[in-house]
Structure formats: C-alpha cells, structure tokens
Amino acid sequence: MTTVFLNIKELIQVRNSNIKKVSGKEMQHLPTLKNAYLVIENNLIKTYGLMEDIPHFLNVKTIDCSGKMIFPSWCDSHTHIVYAGNREQEFVDRINGLTYEEIASKGGGILNSAKKLQATPEDDLYIQSAKRLEEVMALGTGAIEIKSGYGLTVEAELKMLRVIKKLKDKYTIPIKATFLGAHAFPSAYKKNQDAYIDVIINEMLPKIANEKLAEFIDVFCETGYFSVEQTEKIMIAGKKYGLQPKIHVNQFTSIGGLQTSVHHQALSVDHLEVMTTDDIEALKNSETMAVALPSCSYFLSIPYTPARDIIDANLPLALATDYNPGSTPSGNMNFVVATACIKMKMTPEEAINAATINGAYAMNLSDEVGSITKGKKANFFITKEIPSYGFLPYSFGSNVIDSVYSNGQKI
Ligand code: NIG
Ligand code: FE
C-alpha cells in the first residue's frame, strides 16, 4: 500500500543520510523541504521531494496537505507512564508549602506510588498505562522509553515490566523498557540498604534478563536516594546482563553520578537541573546523551537544565517528558519543546532536533525514527495550517497537531 502526501507546506527534519545525533552548533540547523511531497509504502518512508519534481504515481492513495506541515514523530526517551492512580494530594501539599523532598521523607513520593502499584492487579495497571500511551501518541509521540521503578519488590517490578512488554506487543510505536528497581529504598530496607541492592542484583536482574523484559538499567542517583557507589554497583551488574545504563543524575544535587555514568558508557544521563562546569566537562568526548526534562522543572519549580551551557560546549542535548505521577504528570512533548524554547533559551531548531533525532539516539532508535529519512518508520504527524514550524513552540498550550501516523497508519 503506497500513500503520497501532497503539497506539504514544509516537511521538517529531512535527512538524506541517517545521522545518529546532532551536537552544539549543528543543533541550530533544521533541514526542511518547502512545498514538498512524501511517499510512504506500508510502514516505511519510501521517498520525498519537492512538488515541482514529483513523479507520476499510479495506483496510490493521495492526501492533500496544503497549508500543513509534516514533522517526524517526537521521540520521548524518558518516561514512567506505567503507574497506578495519581498523587494529586501531594500536588496540593506542595502548593501549601511542602517540598518534593519533604513529602518523600514522610513516606510520600515514590513510595506512595509503589504502595498503590503493588496493590493494583496487572490487568488494571495495563489499562491505566495504555490510556496514557494512547494519550501521548495522539500528541505526536512516535517512540517512547518506559521505566519500571514503582514496584520496588521482585513481584511488582516484574509486573511493571510485563505491562511494558504487553504495550510493546499491542502498539505499533517502538517502545524501550528500562529497569529502575533502584528508584527509592523501600521502607523495610531504609536501615539496610545493602540488602535491597542485593535484591536488585541477585533477584530482580536475573529474572528480568531471563524473561528479556528490559533493554536498559536506570538508578535514581541523588542525595537521599542512591549514592554514586551504589549506582555504580547496580550499573555494573546491569551491564553484565546486557542492560545499558540510562541514569537519573543531578536533579537536585551534583554528586558525581554523571561522571560515573559516563565512565560506564551510559547511553544517556537525564535531568541535569544542577550542573557544574566539571559535569559539563565530563560529557565532552563521550557518547553519552544529555537529556533535559523541562516539564519536571516546570511542575516542581526547580531550576531548568542549563541547555545553553550544554549546547554552547558543543555537546548534544535531548528533550523528554519524564511523564510520571510525582514530578511530571504530563506527557506532552509539544509542551516540552515550547518550554525548552521559553525557559531554557533553546531555539525552535535546537528544540526540535533535541526532541526528534537526539531523543531517538537516547533510546538506541536512531536507525528507525527521529527524522524523515528513506527507510525509517512512517511515524510522523501532520500539523494544522500553521505559518512556520516555530509556531509550534510559540503557540504553547495549543494543540497544532491535525493527525498522527504510526507505522504508516493514521491513528
Ligand atoms: O524522574 N526523580 C526520580 N524519579 C522521577 C519522579 C518520581 C516520582 O516522584 O514519582 C523523576 O522525576
Ligand atoms: Fe524520571
């Protein structure tokens, strides 16, 4: 089945060759074709070009896109969309003056979500999570990473990862699973942290590897959560089972987790709200992607990742949502792109590169998604009639998406 999209006002992020990531000044360049056509065959991008050069097609379906643009789907490389219930009460507690850390130390936060998730049957958890996935797909997300980490027992972590596996089987967008057993210490292990790390390494990891339930391993490396030494131990154990690290670091404090993650060839280091010059230096000459999560900064009123310092140091930067019940109950990549422009002083070109190509890199999906390139998946969205691509972040809070295609099918 061949479909030709005609009269596209601007086809965004067109890359003839498949580049893996864009860094520093390259991020300022967003290649596009004005007045273009796009051909998809079955589930893949077949070709594209300018309307003035369009060949004659026989027996194809055509779709007119006059006034509209086509973007490759957003690549959201950091989410926690498998969770049970919500944490609305903590939202109100924060409005009334408590901090995220204070709520966590009273047994709220991640442990609150873990309690809810442990009590939720797998089928119910799947239904709640699938709803979120469908919500973000409709908002233009066409590839996503999902973490465990609200189970914190062998059984509940496996339950989360099995739900992610079911989502992978049911939905057409690429989904990558990350094991985040090291998200918080369960109350019973507060005084015996080594014992919980032992459970992660010797009970959870072998089962997860055996059922092939995850591609990546994550740790919340932060003051009051997992220390750099504990993070390193878990990363090394995960790597033995073939799980590449993608690590939560520098959300509230800079304690050296970033350096250790880079040393262990982490695919990405995520959050980075608090960055020292040493942290930026450590990212240079590495293959590790820096990932910023501006909706989390927005929701918690914490600093934004210093995108300018990172990009101006000639480094790559990706943008993701962090969709989760505590720090970011939103999976809207359009809002992320807008907030990166508005609050982090990224240009629309930089933000769009960060949310597509660089996001794909941060999930090891560069060969499948992230740009309009021949042979990549036909995952893209068509906008409403808009004057320019910069109008998307400019009109923050409005939905400029008209329709979404996943694997060549309109959803
Ligand atoms: O990435 N920071 C650690 N984990 C999540 C939030 C967890 C929660 O509050 O439930 C995050 O922000
Ligand atoms: Fe997170």
Side-chain angles (χ1 to χ4, degrees):
M1 161 84 169
T2 304
T3 308
V4 187
F5 297 83
L6 300 166
N7 303 312
I8 305 160
K9 179 169 173 159
E10 199 162 356
L11 182 60
I12 309 297
Q13 189 66 294
V14 180
R15 304 271 177 176
N16 294 337
S17 61
N18 180 27
I19 56 160
K20 301 258 177 208
K21 60 178 190 281
V22 278
S23 311
K25 281 198 177 59
E26 291 163 358
M27 289 185 70
Q28 187 49 45
H29 177 56
L30 181 67
T32 71
L33 288 179
K34 287 187 171 150
N35 197 18
Y37 68 91
L38 170 69
V39 183
I40 64 170
E41 199 166 81
N42 302 321
N43 58 337
L44 299 178
I45 295 171
K46 179 129 201 282
T47 189
Y48 47 78
L50 296 174
M51 280 306 290
E52 61 196 45
D53 303 326
I54 193 166
H56 189 69
F57 291 107
L58 280 176
N59 299 324
V60 296
K61 181 177 172 194
T62 58
I63 293 174
D64 182 59
C65 297
S66 294
K68 301 172 177 179
M69 303 199 175
I70 293 186
F71 283 63
S73 295
W74 303 127
C75 296
D76 189 354
S77 67
H78 182 138
T79 83
H80 311 245
I81 63 166
V82 173
Y83 62 82
N86 62 65
R87 303 227 300 271
E88 249 184 87
Q89 183 53 46
E90 294 179 11
F91 171 58
V92 177
D93 291 343
R94 280 194 304 103
I95 292 169
N96 288 325
L98 288 183
T99 66
Y100 179 81
E101 291 95 326
E102 282 163 350
I103 291 166
S105 68
K106 288 184 196 314
I110 295 165
L111 296 185
N112 180 358
S113 287
K115 210 196 291 165
K116 290 191 170 87
L117 188 137
Q118 287 161 11
T120 303
E122 189 171 315
D123 287 353
D124 185 4
L125 187 62
Y126 173 80
I127 292 166
Q128 294 188 41
S129 309
K131 219 164 130 185
R132 291 182 201 111
L133 183 61
E134 289 182 14
E135 176 206 359
V136 302
M137 284 171 69
L139 290 166
T141 295
I144 196 167
E145 179 257 18
I146 310 173
K147 300 174 194 295
S148 71
Y150 290 121
L152 309 183
T153 63
V154 177
E155 204 184 310
E157 282 295 307
L158 286 171
K159 175 165 70 181
M160 285 189 82
L161 290 164
R162 287 180 189 135
V163 166
I164 300 174
K165 179 142 196 304
K166 274 193 204 156
L167 294 171
K168 281 189 192 190
D169 294 343
K170 167 87 199 292
Y171 290 88
T172 52
I173 70 168
I175 297 176
K176 294 279 184 154
T178 300
F179 169 50
L180 175 56
H183 201 186
F185 285 101
S187 309
Y189 293 94
K190 275 264 140 72
K191 296 216 164 63
N192 190 3
Q193 298 189 342
D194 286 348
Y196 184 58
I197 292 173
D198 191 65
V199 171
I200 291 175
I201 294 177
N202 297 314
E203 294 185 48
M204 294 178 181
L205 264 173
K207 290 201 169 73
I208 289 162
N210 191 36
E211 284 188 48
K212 296 194 173 49
L213 289 174
E215 283 92 3
F216 305 118
I217 186 149
D218 194 349
V219 179
F220 186 17
C221 180
E222 185 56 65
T223 308
Y225 291 84
F226 289 79
S227 70
V228 176
E229 292 68 32
Q230 291 167 333
T231 301
E232 182 166 39
K233 199 168 166 193
I234 295 163
M235 261 194 282
I236 291 171
K239 281 169 76 175
K240 285 202 184 120
Y241 287 100
L243 308 188
Q244 196 178 4
K246 271 170 75 67
I247 309 290
H248 280 74
V249 293
N250 294 44
Q251 183 176 4
F252 301 107
T253 52
S254 167
I255 55 174
L258 185 149
Q259 285 76 356
T260 306
S261 303
V262 169
H263 177 75
H264 287 284
Q265 289 93 33
L267 179 60
S268 69
V269 281
D270 302 40
H271 271 287
L272 315 180
E273 288 87 341
V274 177
M275 290 288 277
T276 65
T277 46
D278 282 353
D279 292 324
I280 299 219
E281 215 43 50
L283 285 168
K284 291 183 183 167
N285 304 315
S286 83
E287 293 300 312
T288 301
M289 179 63 68
V291 180
L293 310 165
S295 301
C296 174
S297 299
Y298 177 86
F299 189 72
L300 293 186
S301 300
I302 60 174
Y304 286 88
T305 301
R308 281 269 54 92
D309 294 346
I310 294 171
I311 295 171
D312 295 345
N314 207 28
L315 292 167
L317 182 66
L319 289 167
T321 62
D322 198 20
Y323 195 173
N324 75 73
S327 72
T328 325
S330 162
N332 188 343
M333 281 294 285
N334 307 282
F335 178 77
V336 165
V337 168
T339 307
C341 295
I342 297 162
K343 296 291 184 187
M344 293 159 64
K345 302 277 177 262
M346 290 172 75
T347 64
E349 291 79 8
E350 289 172 334
I352 293 167
N353 276 317
T356 55
I357 287 198
N358 285 355
Y361 179 93
M363 294 186 271
N364 267 343
L365 283 172
S366 305
D367 293 338
E368 285 181 51
V369 287
S371 61
I372 301 294
T373 301
K374 286 178 196 173
K376 282 199 180 181
K377 270 192 192 304
N379 287 16
F380 54 85
F381 61 84
I382 305 176
T383 67
K384 296 174 182 162
E385 293 192 19
I386 54 173
S388 68
Y389 58 72
F391 191 80
L392 186 148
Y394 164 81
S395 58
F396 81 98
S398 295
N399 187 357
V400 305
I401 296 180
D402 177 75
S403 51
V404 174
Y405 283 76
S406 175
N407 244 10
Q409 297 292 317
K410 190 170 168 176
I411 61 162

